[in-house]
Amino acid sequence: MEYRKLLGTDLTVSALGFGVWTVGTTWWGVKDDQMAERLLRRAFDLGITFFDNADTYASGRAEEIQRRVLGDVRDQIVIGTKFGYDIYNHPERPGQQERPHDWTPEYLRKALEGSLKRLGTDYIDYYQLHNPRVDAIQKDDLWAELERLKAEGLIRAYGTALGPALNERQIEEGTLTIRLRHAPTQIIYNLLEQVLGEAILPVAEQEGVGVMARVPHASGLLEGYMTVDTQFEPGDHRNWRLTTNARRKAWMEDGLKKVEQLEAQFLEGRTIGQLALQFALRSPAMASVIPNIYDQKGLEEYAATFGAAPLTDAEYHDIQRLYQANFGLSTDLRGEAVR
């Protein structure tokens, strides 16, 4: 495993993170608590120390699962969790719709108290605004309260996690987080969907502030298993994003044509999944990438990335040339990305 400094903070995290949403909710197919617990524990055994959670994942249940599995190694892991959605006054909505946000300092404290209790800890390492818009990033009293919580020892660092879906609006949100708040941000970024990274990573490098990336495998396209006939299980969140069979088919066909080219040229000494992680980790500002982990095979493969053949400068530039040419395709469905 490789470990990196989250620039702008005192935290060091595993370059491969674990997004607890894949095992703490039913959005990605892990419906068995025992499997969820085995994956979390195996991740720790493989050297993963950064676990990314949120109070809204199954209304706090994901945080409780993490406490149950990793509570005995609390001092050896870095806990990231998120706040902002009002989970106390608004129940989960169908179709994974967003709940209302509450960005008041009072709600911030209430949310933090709830997460501390569910996670079984007296401090959070990395506390993130969950899918904020620009108004929340500009809200001085909210950020002043975060600084007070840090001074009180209840959090060690804070930043933003942008979303929910890939949207160019997030360029402003990410750059504002870095420049105005000098705080890290989490973005959607992978070698098929680079729009946020192209804009935000150079700013982060210039300012000396860290970035984290989720969905490095482009919602499964870069995992190596998907075909145009792949069907997602009921409850899989991609069914909510890819709302029609036609859209699903177009997204898969476009993406898989690109993947074919990557597999033909860049798999010497690595898998397509490992290539995706190596690419996402390329920037010196990138602290950790957070793939969707929902089975042991994927977990073991991703953890082995750091023993695979490293991505060379020449390979990286060749990939970028393909991307800039849209892999030679006449259509561009990058705007149809799903989360």
Side-chain angles (χ1 to χ4, degrees):
M1 186 57 59
E2 181 179 310
Y3 301 91
R4 297 185 174 193
K5 181 82 177 292
L6 177 59
L7 299 179
T9 79
D10 293 329
L11 303 177
T12 297
V13 296
S14 53
L16 179 67
F18 194 115
V20 186
W21 84 298
T22 57
V23 299
T25 72
T26 58
W27 297 352
W28 207 272
V30 179
K31 301 178 178 66
D32 182 335
D33 276 9
Q34 290 184 337
M35 173 59 78
E37 292 170 8
R38 285 196 298 271
L39 288 172
L40 284 167
R41 195 67 192 197
R42 181 57 179 154
F44 174 75
D45 292 341
L46 288 168
I48 293 176
T49 59
F50 178 62
F51 293 86
D52 188 51
N53 216 318
D55 60 4
T56 194
Y57 297 162
S59 298
R61 183 172 173 272
E63 292 179 323
E64 293 171 349
I65 291 173
Q66 181 174 324
R67 178 199 66 218
R68 193 162 66 239
V69 180
L70 299 174
D72 64 325
V73 292
R74 170 65 186 98
D75 61 340
Q76 300 176 58
I77 64 174
V78 177
I79 294 178
T81 196
K82 310 180 193 78
F83 74 97
Y85 289 117
D86 185 351
I87 67 171
Y88 298 102
N89 298 305
H90 297 274
E92 276 192 83
R93 295 179 168 186
Q96 300 167 20
Q97 299 177 65
E98 286 187 273
R99 291 166 163 163
H101 281 118
D102 187 337
W103 299 118
T104 62
E106 294 77 19
Y107 185 78
L108 164 57
R109 284 202 174 250
K110 179 177 181 178
L112 177 60
E113 289 169 2
S115 286
L116 290 171
K117 181 178 180 180
R118 288 186 295 270
L119 287 162
T121 183
D122 54 7
Y123 66 95
I124 301 296
D125 296 290
Y126 184 48
Y127 205 36
Q128 303 157 84
L129 283 70
H130 200 175
N131 300 340
R133 308 315 193 247
V134 166
D135 62 326
I137 300 169
Q138 293 175 328
K139 201 172 188 303
D140 288 340
D141 61 345
L142 174 66
W143 292 83
E145 189 71 3
L146 284 165
E147 193 59 31
R148 280 191 286 271
L149 293 169
K150 183 178 177 182
E152 293 171 25
L154 296 174
I155 60 177
R156 294 178 62 196
Y158 49 78
T160 61
L162 307 181
L166 182 63
N167 191 307
E168 291 195 18
R169 179 200 71 229
Q170 293 159 30
I171 293 174
E172 182 180 6
E173 296 160 0
T175 54
L176 196 63
T177 297
I178 293 167
R179 286 187 167 135
L180 178 63
R181 302 303 178 186
H182 205 70
T185 191
Q186 182 186 132
I187 63 173
I188 294 166
Y189 178 64
N190 58 71
L191 60 80
L192 299 183
E193 300 161 338
Q194 298 186 38
V195 61
L196 299 185
E198 287 173 329
I200 292 172
L201 285 169
V203 177
E205 293 171 10
Q206 181 182 41
E207 298 291 333
V209 174
V211 175
M212 293 184 175
R214 69 181 184 279
V215 202
H217 293 110
S219 298
L221 285 170
L222 292 165
E223 292 179 17
Y225 73 89
M226 197 177 288
T227 72
V228 291
D229 298 317
T230 296
Q231 297 293 317
F232 305 124
E233 293 183 13
D236 189 301
H237 84 117
R238 289 168 290 190
N239 287 322
W240 298 109
R241 300 297 183 188
L242 295 170
T243 52
T244 67
N245 287 333
R247 185 181 173 197
R248 181 183 294 110
K249 187 171 184 289
W251 173 74
M252 285 183 175
E253 286 183 349
D254 183 76
L256 290 173
K257 287 174 183 176
K258 298 173 182 179
V259 171
E260 285 179 6
Q261 295 182 55
L262 294 168
E263 289 177 331
Q265 299 181 56
F266 303 106
L267 294 198
E268 184 69 35
R270 63 176 78 90
T271 67
I272 189 69
Q274 292 168 345
L275 173 68
L277 296 178
Q278 291 175 339
F279 179 89
L281 285 164
R282 180 76 178 187
S283 168
M286 187 64 71
S288 187
V289 293
I290 309 167
N292 293 322
I293 295 171
Y294 41 81
D295 59 36
Q296 185 158 332
K297 178 178 180 293
L299 172 59
E300 302 277 352
E301 176 187 338
Y302 303 155
T305 296
F306 307 97
L311 183 66
T312 67
D313 290 345
E315 289 174 320
Y316 174 80
H317 292 306
D318 285 344
I319 289 171
Q320 290 299 68
R321 278 192 286 271
L322 282 173
Y323 177 82
Q324 294 302 324
N326 195 33
F327 292 78
L329 302 181
S330 59
T331 59
D332 188 355
L333 295 181
R334 282 177 288 184
E336 297 295 312
V338 295
R339 290 305 133 248

